[in-house]
Amino acid sequence: MQHPAGQGRIASAMRRFLDSEASGGLVLMAVAALAILTANSPLAPAYFGALHSYVGPLSLQHWINDALMALFFLMVGLEIKREMLDGQLSTWGRRILPGVAAAGGMAAPALVYVAFNAGDPLALRGWAIPAATDIAFALGVLSLLGPRVPVSLKVFLAALAIIDDLGAVIVIALFYTTGLSLPDLAGAAAVLALLYGLNRRGVRSLLPYLLLGAVLWLLVLRSGVHATLAGVLLALTIPIRLTPGKPEASDEESPLHKLEHALHKPVAFIVVPIFGFANAGVSFAGISAGVLLEPLPLGVAAGLVVGKLLGVFGASALMIRAGLAQLPAGASWTQLLGVSLLCGIGFTMSLFIGLLAFADSAAMQDLVKFGILAGSLVAGVAGYLLLRFSRREGKAPGTAGA
């Protein structure tokens, strides 16, 4: 049984985490709107020209998407490891509901997308686009609702989105990797082994991990696997405990906690907004509203709105009705439905997967952006309104006590 002081420390850490993510989501909303305005203003030529200009071996957009976003994925990896070993996902009891909800929330949107694009083999490459949830955006919307939403639902959404991110990382590694270079892969594996060795030998200084992480990023970039996955691999080797084999020694002085704390605000307020500004800009010149009825953007939008709702809420309801999980404390079924809608905000990771899926077609990338923006907007507004006008309940019919 955990001591009250320990519970207070975890609750305080989670509160800081949620507050930071929510603030970052609000910034991301503003940046996405600014990107769209810029892409449809007299500044558009300069905006697109700058993104496609080369700085050394890569264009500015590639530096942002391949290098800067590696920090985002490093942060994702650190959060996944911390939550799995020392947080809200540290036991199977805590993992079961958000885990099953995340699985349903990835499978159903993919099936909806495939249903709309079954006749187009090229478009089918984008099946994973609506499967992702943007935790910053979703928590940003929740922050606008204040105390109307119980903390338990915010924790549920954060845990679900972290598992969702893990699924997205696996999907990227398995399905969006081409032209593999075996020598570079072997080099990356060797560097990863060195990083693991540092961890096993009890090295607590972050400097050697970061230096080897930079080498790992370069080798992964050259290997054909997307370079940002180097960030996740590096995160998994960062020590979380001061004393190996003693979970009680895990605290905020560990290397993982220190690095996560150092990265949190730069990633939330610099890295992700820069990515959003560089990739959300889409020109509406010569585009009619009917473009959203084309199978590709319609599949993305429907996947985010309908697929996420069916997958997250449906999987959660089945688990709760079967007595295998409990409705989050203080939440009603209507509020769970609202949070399931918010999971349809797929901005950052959906954009990222869309860029990988259609790397050779700017036109298809634009269609993907239309679908993501439309679907995320509908899901966000619908989820907000449902939560705004719903009432909290101590229990929902058919649920066990919280």
Side-chain angles (χ1 to χ4, degrees):
M1 186 173 180
Q2 194 165 20
H3 297 297
Q7 291 176 340
R9 181 177 67 82
I10 291 178
S12 178
M14 178 57 71
R15 193 173 299 112
R16 292 198 303 272
F17 167 73
L18 292 172
D19 288 345
S20 177
E21 289 286 352
S23 301
L26 297 176
V27 171
L28 188 54
M29 292 180 197
V31 167
L34 180 61
I36 294 171
L37 289 174
T38 303
N40 292 277
S41 74
L43 295 174
Y47 169 77
F48 290 111
L51 290 175
H52 293 106
S53 62
Y54 272 72
V55 181
L58 300 174
S59 69
L60 179 59
Q61 189 167 33
H62 277 102
W63 278 115
I64 293 170
N65 294 348
D66 292 355
L68 197 61
M69 281 296 282
L71 295 176
F72 167 77
F73 277 85
L74 172 59
M75 187 72 198
V76 167
L78 293 172
E79 289 177 346
I80 290 170
K81 182 172 181 177
R82 172 175 54 76
E83 292 297 333
M84 289 291 186
L85 297 181
D86 189 43
Q88 291 298 322
L89 300 173
S90 58
T91 66
W92 284 108
R94 291 176 173 179
R95 294 171 191 163
I96 188 69
L97 184 60
V100 172
M106 293 191 74
L111 291 174
V112 170
Y113 177 91
V114 169
F116 279 94
N117 292 278
D120 187 343
L122 181 58
L124 284 177
R125 283 186 52 81
W127 64 270
I129 294 170
T133 293
D134 191 307
I135 183 173
F137 247 124
L139 288 175
V141 174
L142 276 187
S143 73
L144 300 175
L145 294 160
R148 292 185 181 88
V149 178
V151 173
S152 62
L153 268 185
K154 297 178 183 178
V155 172
F156 168 74
L157 176 59
L160 185 156
I162 288 169
I163 298 172
D164 186 282
D165 282 344
L166 175 59
V169 167
I170 294 172
V171 165
I172 291 169
L174 294 179
F175 298 101
Y176 296 104
T177 294
T178 57
L180 293 178
S181 167
L182 294 181
D184 287 309
L185 276 179
V191 172
L192 195 59
L194 287 174
L195 287 163
Y196 177 74
L198 291 177
N199 183 303
R200 296 298 297 171
R201 290 183 65 84
V203 175
R204 297 295 175 258
S205 170
L206 282 169
L207 183 60
Y209 291 97
L210 297 179
L211 291 176
L212 284 173
V215 177
L216 179 66
W217 175 83
L218 179 61
L219 289 168
V220 173
L221 175 68
R222 288 161 50 96
S223 73
V225 178
H226 201 272
T228 52
L229 296 183
V232 177
L233 296 174
L234 172 61
L236 298 181
T237 68
I238 304 295
I240 191 174
R241 298 187 178 110
L242 294 176
T243 306
K246 293 185 178 181
E248 66 272 17
S250 176
D251 59 30
E252 300 210 5
E253 292 303 311
S254 72
L256 185 144
H257 285 87
K258 286 182 177 179
L259 182 57
E260 185 179 11
H261 180 73
L263 285 175
H264 216 141
K265 288 186 178 178
V267 168
F269 296 108
I270 298 175
V271 173
V272 173
I274 288 176
F275 172 82
F277 184 73
N279 292 284
V282 56
S283 175
F284 296 111
I287 300 295
S288 66
V291 73
L292 289 174
L293 298 179
E294 293 186 23
L296 178 55
L298 188 57
V300 171
L304 289 171
V305 179
V306 179
K308 278 290 184 181
L309 177 63
L310 293 176
V312 173
F313 185 79
S316 299
L318 286 175
M319 293 295 293
I320 294 168
R321 291 297 190 187
L324 299 175
Q326 297 176 345
L327 195 67
S332 67
W333 284 102
T334 303
Q335 288 177 321
L336 182 61
L337 190 68
V339 166
S340 300
L341 276 168
L342 291 185
C343 289
I345 303 175
F347 189 77
T348 304
M349 197 67 84
S350 291
L351 277 176
F352 194 85
I353 294 174
L355 294 173
L356 295 179
F358 304 114
D360 298 327
S361 175
M364 295 187 80
Q365 287 181 0
D366 282 347
L367 291 176
V368 166
K369 291 176 184 179
F370 288 132
I372 292 172
L373 293 171
S376 296
L377 179 62
V378 171
V381 171
Y384 172 84
L385 292 175
L386 194 58
L387 290 166
R388 173 66 177 80
F389 296 105
S390 64
R391 290 195 296 178
R392 294 178 60 162
E393 296 177 15
K395 291 182 183 179
T399 63

